[in-house]
């Protein structure tokens, strides 16, 4: 994949069609933005292909982003939707992943923007149309620096697609093994959802699921009822329901987010609470844990093995409800 230094500042709509989604680049080519004719917006940092903003038509932000996070490519982004690959956390006992940094290198690599595709606007006003825009990003072993290649010396390709609809956001990742030997990997979509008050939040759809409680010595437990957050929470769930059945974030009795997974068998639920947030230099404001919860689809309970020439695809679709 080749970096293009001189990208157009905006990608115009096709003549002859109705009002179309607009895609534009920041002046320094570090970000890609999209806007639907109905007002929904999306912003993605090429560093990590990290979604850093998703707003509804009224301008309400749906993702939580730390006020102290770096957006200059010097450090992984705290907030939004970072892409975790090829390891979740660290894996000192895994031969292939033992040398990799926390959460791997996808979230700290510069991705290439591959292009956009849009749905055609139906006749009539934009509010009645089925509008969407899909942005594609790529990362391969050829893009990695020498140090990262030495830590994980496999030929691979990643295609990350982010699709903005009027009431939903879909993020999907395709992993291909371009090597002549198999490799193991984990993947996670580290989604920080914005809420008004974590004390009023519950998470449905994980009832009966076993989970690893990383705050309690990685002990294995079973979720008896809906999930509520009242302290530091770091859990890896394996839901018993099909991935097509939603995991829902409910606030003050109203569903605000519904997450449907595709080929991602785990859901991580994370909130740092008071003490953990205080110890994270890039977490701000320090009481920001009251306004966020991470609900993160992934394949992280073990490692996936990908044979030469094979591909893996996993995705999430987050649907919002009006507040």
């Amino acid at each position: 994949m080749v970096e293009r230094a001189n990208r157009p500042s905006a990608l115009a709509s096709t003549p002859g069609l109705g009002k179309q989604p607009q895609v534009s680049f920041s002046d320094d080519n570090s970000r890609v933005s999209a806007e639907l004719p109905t007002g929904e917006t999306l912003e993605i940092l090429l560093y990590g292909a990290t979604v850093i903003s998703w707003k509804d038509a009224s301008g309400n932000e749906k993702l939580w982003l730390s006020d102290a996070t770096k957006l200059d490519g010097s450090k992984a982004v705290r907030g939004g939707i970072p892409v975790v690959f090829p390891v979740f956390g660290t894996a000192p006992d895994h031969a292939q992943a033992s040398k990799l940094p926390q959460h791997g290198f996808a979230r700290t690599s510069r991705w290439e923007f591959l292009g956009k595709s849009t749905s055609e606007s139906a006749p009539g006003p934009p509010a009645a149309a089925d509008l969407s825009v899909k942005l594609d990003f790529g990362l391969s072993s050829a893009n990695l620096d020498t140090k990262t290649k030495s830590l994980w010396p496999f030929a691979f390709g990643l295609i990350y697609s982010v699709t903005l609809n009027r009431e939903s956001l879909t993020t999907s990742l395709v992993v291909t093994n371009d090597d002549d030997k198999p490799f193991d990997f984990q993947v996670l979509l580290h989604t920080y959802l914005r809420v008004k008050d974590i004390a009023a939040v519950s998470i449905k759809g994980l009832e009966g699921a076993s989970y690893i409680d990383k705050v309690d010595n990685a002990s294995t437990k079973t979720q008896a009822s809906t999930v509520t957050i009242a302290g530091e929470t770091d859990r890896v769930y394996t839901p018993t329901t099909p991935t097509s059945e939603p995991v829902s974030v409910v606030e003050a009795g109203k569903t605000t987010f519904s997450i449907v997974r595709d080929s991602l068998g785990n859901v991580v639920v994370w909130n740092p609470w008071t003490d953990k947030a205080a110890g994270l230099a890039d977490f701000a404001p320090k009481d920001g844990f009251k306004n966020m919860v991470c609900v993160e689809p992934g394949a992280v309970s073990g490692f996936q093995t990908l044979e030469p020439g094979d591909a893996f695809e996993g995705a999430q679709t987050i649907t919002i409800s009006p507040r």
Side-chain angles (χ1 to χ4, degrees), residues 27-322:
D27 291 341
D28 61 358
N29 282 337
S30 67
R31 305 182 190 189
V32 183
S33 300
E35 182 174 1
L36 299 183
T38 43
E40 295 83 359
T41 62
L42 176 69
E43 189 171 7
I44 301 173
L45 199 65
L46 289 178
Y47 180 75
T50 308
V51 180
I52 57 174
S53 178
W54 170 32
K55 295 180 181 179
D56 65 17
S58 299
N60 299 311
E61 180 62 64
K62 299 302 177 182
L63 301 176
W64 185 88
L65 187 70
S66 170
D67 292 346
T69 198
K70 301 292 185 181
L71 299 177
D72 59 2
S74 62
K75 188 178 180 182
V77 174
R78 172 73 66 186
I81 309 178
V83 178
V84 172
F85 174 90
V87 65
F88 172 59
T90 58
D93 298 326
H94 189 277
Q96 294 182 359
S98 61
K99 298 179 181 179
L100 290 171
Q102 170 92 358
H103 291 341
F105 53 75
R107 66 182 187 142
T108 55
S109 296
R110 167 90 178 198
W111 292 59
E112 181 184 2
F113 177 64
L114 300 179
K116 69 154 188 173
S117 58
T118 62
S119 64
E120 294 187 4
S121 180
D130 181 18
L131 299 170
S132 69
V133 59
K134 180 166 75 76
L135 307 179
D136 294 323
F137 303 85
L139 180 69
S140 74
S141 45
N143 298 119
L144 302 181
D145 58 39
T146 302
K147 179 181 179 181
T148 304
K149 288 180 181 179
S150 69
L151 299 178
W152 205 69
F154 299 98
F156 71 93
L158 301 179
I159 301 293
Y160 186 52
S161 299
V162 183
T163 304
L164 174 65
N165 287 279
R166 293 187 58 215
E167 296 179 348
S168 67
L169 185 74
T170 298
T171 62
S172 65
L173 185 69
V174 178
V175 183
T176 57
N177 184 346
D178 301 327
D179 214 310
D180 58 3
K181 55 185 176 296
F183 61 69
D184 296 343
F185 72 95
Q186 296 174 321
V187 64
L188 183 83
L189 302 171
H190 199 326
T191 309
Y192 289 71
L193 298 173
R194 178 175 288 275
V195 299
K196 292 181 179 179
D197 180 8
I198 190 64
V201 168
S202 61
I203 301 170
K204 295 183 177 180
L206 298 173
E207 296 85 352
S210 65
Y211 67 93
I212 298 171
D213 191 343
K214 298 174 74 174
V215 177
D216 187 13
N217 298 313
S219 56
T220 300
K221 302 178 181 179
T222 300
Q223 185 66 40
S225 58
T226 57
V227 180
T228 56
I229 311 293
E232 182 183 350
T233 303
D234 192 355
R235 303 174 182 176
V236 181
Y237 285 89
T238 302
T240 58
T241 55
T243 57
S244 59
E245 294 191 18
V247 174
S248 300
V249 177
V250 179
E251 188 167 2
K254 181 179 180 180
T255 298
T256 53
F257 300 97
S258 293
I259 303 105
V260 171
R261 298 164 289 128
D262 184 2
S263 298
L264 298 174
N266 301 119
V267 176
V268 174
V269 176
W270 183 77
N271 183 291
W273 211 252
T274 308
D275 293 344
K276 184 77 171 182
L280 296 171
D282 60 353
F283 194 99
K286 291 304 178 185
D287 64 352
F289 67 87
K290 297 177 181 178
N291 304 119
M292 54 76 62
V293 62
C294 285
V295 180
E296 315 164 33
V300 297
S301 60
F303 279 84
Q304 306 279 322
T305 298
L306 201 60
E307 298 295 332
D310 283 353
F312 168 91
E313 181 173 4
Q316 67 169 346
T317 295
I318 311 168
T319 301
I320 56 176
S321 300

